[in-house]
C-alpha cells in the first residue's frame, strides 16, 4: 500500500502543481497507518523544500517533527537558508535542551551551543523571541572552557543592536568575573577594539568645523579608552588573584600597582594578610607582613 502512494506522490511531484501535490501527500498520510508515515515524509519534505513556499514548508516541517524529532537539524538549516533566523534560534534551543551527547549529524551539545550563540549575537534584530540574557549566561556557566568566547558573543549582540552602554556593562562584568588569563585577554582585546572603533567612527562623523559639543564628546571617548588601557594591569592582577587568592607575590604586585595611593595600598595589605592561608600560601606570607611593616616605616608612621 505505501508503495502505491509513494509512486503517486512521485508522479505528482514531477507535475509541479504545488497545491494538488500537497493535497496528495496529505491524503497519503491520512490513508496510511502512522507506522508507515516515514515512507512518505522524506518525499514530502523534499517536495516542499524544492519550491519557494517558505510558509508552507515551515508548517509541513512542524508536522514532520512531531513524528520524527530527529529531523530538527535539517529544519534549522532550512530556516537559516530562508533567513527565518528567529525560528531557527528557537529550534536550536530545543536541540540544545534535548541534551544528547551527539546529534544525528554528529554535532556535540557544545557545538550546538556555539551555533546558537553565534546566530543570536550576529542577528540581534532578527532574533527577538528569545531571552538572550538567560541563554548566554547559561552557556557561560555550562562551558567553562569557552567563557571568553561566550562573553564576547554576548557583548557583540548588544553592539550590533546599537546598545553600546549595555555592551560596555557586559565587558566590564566579564572582566571582573573570568578566572583565566586567556579569557581575560580575549575579552579585554575585544573591549579595547570596540572602544577604538567607536572613537574612530565618531571622529569620521565630526562636523566641519567641529562644534564644542562634538569636541567634548570626542575628548570623553579618548579619556574612556585611555582609562581602560590604564586599568589593564590591575584587572589582570585581579584575575590572577581569583585564580589563587593565596599567591603572596600577586598581592605584593597589587600593592605596587597602587603606588601613589597609600589608602588603597593599606587596604590591599589588610585584605592580603586576611586572605592568604599559611597552609595554602604560594610564596612566603611573612614577606607580605614585612612589606606591610616597611610601608609604615617608610611613611614614618611607626605608631600605626
Amino acid at each position: 500500500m505505501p508503495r502505491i502512494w509513494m509512486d503517486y506522490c512521485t508522479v505528482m511531484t514531477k507535475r509541479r502543481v504545488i497545491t494538488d501535490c500537497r493535497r496528495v501527500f496529505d491524503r497519503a498520510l491520512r490513508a496510511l497507518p502512522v507506522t508507515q508515515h516515514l515512507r512518505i515524509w522524506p518525499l514530502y519534505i523534499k517536495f516542499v523544500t524544492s519550491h519557494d513556499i517558505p510558509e508552507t514548508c515551515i508548517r509541513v516541517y512542524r508536522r514532520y517533527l512531531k513524528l520524527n524529532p530527529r529531523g530538527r537539524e535539517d529544519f534549522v538549516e532550512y530556516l537559516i537558508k530562508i533567513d527565518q533566523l528567529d525560528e531557527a534560534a528557537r529550534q536550536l534551543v530545543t536541540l540544545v535542551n534535548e541534551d544528547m551527547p551527539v546529534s544525528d549529524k554528529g554535532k556535540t551539545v557544545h557545538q550546538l551551543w556555539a551555533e546558537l550563540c553565534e546566530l543570536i549575537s550576529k542577528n540581534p534584530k532578527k532574533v527577538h523571541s528569545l531571552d538572550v540574557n538567560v541563554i548566554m549566561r547559561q552557556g557561560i556557566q555550562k562551558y567553562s572552557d569557552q567563557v571568553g568566547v561566550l562573553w564576547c558573543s554576548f557583548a557583540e549582540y548588544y553592539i550590533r543592536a546599537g546598545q553600546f552602554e549595555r555592551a560596555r556593562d557586559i565587558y566590564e562584568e566579564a572582566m571582573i568575573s573570568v578566572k583565566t588569563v586567556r579569557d581575560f585577554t580575549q575579552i579585554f582585546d575585544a573591549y579595547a577594539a570596540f572602544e577604538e572603533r567607536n572613537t574612530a567612527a565618531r571622529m569620521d562623523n565630526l562636523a566641519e568645523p567641529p562644534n564644542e559639543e562634538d569636541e567634548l564628546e570626542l575628548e570623553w571617548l579618548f579619556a574612556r579608552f585611555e582609562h581602560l588601557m590604564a586599568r589593564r594591569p590591575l584587572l589582570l592582577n585581579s584575575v590572577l588573584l581569583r585564580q589563587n587568592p593565596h599567591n603572596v607575590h600577586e598581592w605584593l604586585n597589587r600593592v605596587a600597582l597602587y603606588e601613589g595611593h597609600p589608602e588603597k595600598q593599606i587596604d590591599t595589605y589588610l585584605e592580603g594578610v586576611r586572605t592568604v592561608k599559611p597552609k595554602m600560601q604560594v610564596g612566603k606570607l611573612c614577606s607580605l607582613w614585612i612589606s606591610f611593616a616597611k610601608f609604615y616605616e617608610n611613611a614614618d608612621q611607626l605608631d600605626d
Side-chain angles (χ1 to χ4, degrees), residues 105 126 137 164 192 258:
K105 291 201 170 185
K126 294 181 180 180
R137 291 184 186 279
F164 295 154
Y258 280 128

Side-chain angles (χ1 to χ4, degrees), residues 216-229:
L216 286 174
E217 183 181 356
L218 193 59
E219 287 180 11
W220 165 244
L221 289 173
F222 275 120
R224 179 154 51 188
F225 180 70
E226 290 171 0
H227 178 62
L228 173 64
M229 300 307 292

Side-chain angles (χ1 to χ4, degrees), residues 62-80:
R62 285 173 179 166
R63 289 168 55 196
Y64 172 54
L65 292 177
K66 291 179 181 179
L67 178 69
N68 183 26
R70 292 186 173 184
R72 200 175 303 277
E73 282 184 271
D74 292 326
F75 187 29
V76 170
E77 291 177 2
Y78 173 75
L79 290 168
I80 293 174

Side-chain angles (χ1 to χ4, degrees), residues 30-70:
R30 287 196 299 269
L32 294 171
V34 71
T35 54
Q36 296 179 351
H37 281 192
L38 287 177
R39 305 279 297 277
I40 302 297
W41 273 114
L43 298 174
Y44 201 174
I45 295 298
K46 183 179 179 181
F47 158 67
V48 292
T49 54
S50 64
H51 295 278
D52 187 18
I53 46 174
E55 288 297 327
T56 301
C57 188
I58 289 172
R59 293 175 185 273
V60 170
Y61 246 121
R62 285 173 179 166
R63 289 168 55 196
Y64 172 54
L65 292 177
K66 291 179 181 179
L67 178 69
N68 183 26
R70 292 186 173 184

Side-chain angles (χ1 to χ4, degrees), residues 91-148:
Q91 295 298 329
L92 272 173
V93 169
T94 303
L95 274 173
V96 167
N97 289 336
E98 288 176 356
D99 205 20
M100 295 185 299
V102 180
S103 69
D104 290 329
K105 291 201 170 185
K107 295 180 181 178
T108 63
V109 180
H110 176 268
Q111 288 175 311
L112 293 172
W113 260 108
E115 285 185 21
L116 175 61
C117 291
E118 183 180 5
L119 184 66
I120 291 173
S121 64
K122 292 186 176 180
N123 302 280
K125 296 181 180 178
K126 294 181 180 180
V127 180
H128 47 76
S129 63
L130 298 177
D131 191 334
V132 176
N133 189 59
V134 171
I135 290 173
M136 288 295 191
R137 291 184 186 279
Q138 282 180 349
I140 289 167
Q141 292 175 359
K142 193 170 185 178
Y143 300 106
S144 57
D145 60 330
Q146 294 292 321
V147 168

